[in-house]
Amino acid sequence: MLEKRNHVLSIGLPVHNGEKFIRKAIESILSQTFTDFELIISNNASTDLTEQICNEYKEKDNRIKYFYQKQYFDWVGNYNFVLDKAKGKYFVWLSADDFWESTFLEKNINILNSDKNIVGSSSDVKMFGKMNKNLKNMMLLKIKMER
């Protein structure tokens, strides 16, 4: 009997009413050059088309694990839910309204694998949308306060 192995990476995608952006988020994951991952989606009692969209992708790709929460719980609980389901050596979250360049995972996994003393890896962030200016200002303020 074949032993089922875990993927190197677990990706947690918590979502609530994300029909507007979830396709782009999932497509950015599925188009990665690094492919040894499981995608864990937790739909936090969405009332829009999020469930239908997620089920479409789940049917197309067996790396996708989809969970529908019948009762809404706070966003922290939804983030923790996907983390608790993770089985990979590494873990990363992606919000339903975010997306990655196609080499994001490959580059970060290579960094993590290059030195056992490295415990985390990320990248530059580009912000889009109406809140862009306010978020950038808040982030700059936080960075300045931490120095």
Side-chain angles (χ1 to χ4, degrees):
M1 186 170 183
L2 289 176
E3 191 175 311
K4 188 176 179 183
R5 69 168 188 85
N6 291 336
H7 292 281
V8 170
L9 176 68
S10 296
I11 303 167
L13 179 58
V15 60
H16 173 72
N17 289 339
E19 72 178 1
K20 189 173 179 183
F21 304 107
I22 189 100
R23 281 187 195 279
K24 188 168 186 175
I26 294 172
E27 287 293 336
S28 81
I29 294 168
L30 298 180
S31 67
Q32 291 294 303
T33 55
F34 181 85
T35 59
D36 190 5
F37 62 80
E38 65 175 342
L39 171 56
I40 305 158
I41 303 172
S42 176
N43 180 351
N44 196 2
S46 294
T47 56
D48 63 1
L49 295 175
T50 299
E51 182 174 20
Q52 178 182 334
I53 294 166
C54 292
N55 277 320
E56 286 173 25
Y57 282 98
K58 182 183 89 170
E59 295 301 317
K60 294 177 189 175
D61 196 310
N62 65 3
R63 296 173 296 178
I64 299 174
K65 314 296 185 266
Y66 175 69
F67 301 90
Y68 180 79
Q69 311 302 335
K70 291 180 182 176
Q71 287 192 316
Y72 178 82
F73 54 101
D74 67 17
W75 67 271
V76 174
N78 206 24
Y79 272 75
N80 284 334
F81 180 87
V82 294
L83 179 60
D84 289 343
K85 294 290 182 186
K87 295 179 180 160
K89 177 180 179 182
Y90 301 116
F91 179 85
V92 63
W93 279 292
L94 181 70
S95 294
D97 59 350
D98 292 340
F99 62 94
W100 292 323
E101 295 292 328
S102 64
T103 57
F104 175 82
L105 294 177
E106 180 181 11
K107 288 178 179 178
N108 283 283
I109 292 293
N110 287 342
I111 290 168
L112 291 168
N113 286 336
S114 71
D115 184 338
K116 66 178 180 169
N117 295 312
I118 296 175
V119 296
S121 179
S122 190
S123 69
D124 290 333
V125 175
K126 292 181 184 175
M127 297 188 183
F128 302 91
K130 295 177 185 177
M131 295 293 291
N132 187 8
K133 186 176 180 181
N134 292 337
L135 287 173
K136 277 186 182 177
N137 289 338
M138 287 173 23
M139 288 176 69
L140 287 173
L141 178 63
K142 182 177 180 189
I143 291 168
K144 287 178 183 175
M145 290 174 66
E146 289 177 351
R147 287 187 182 174

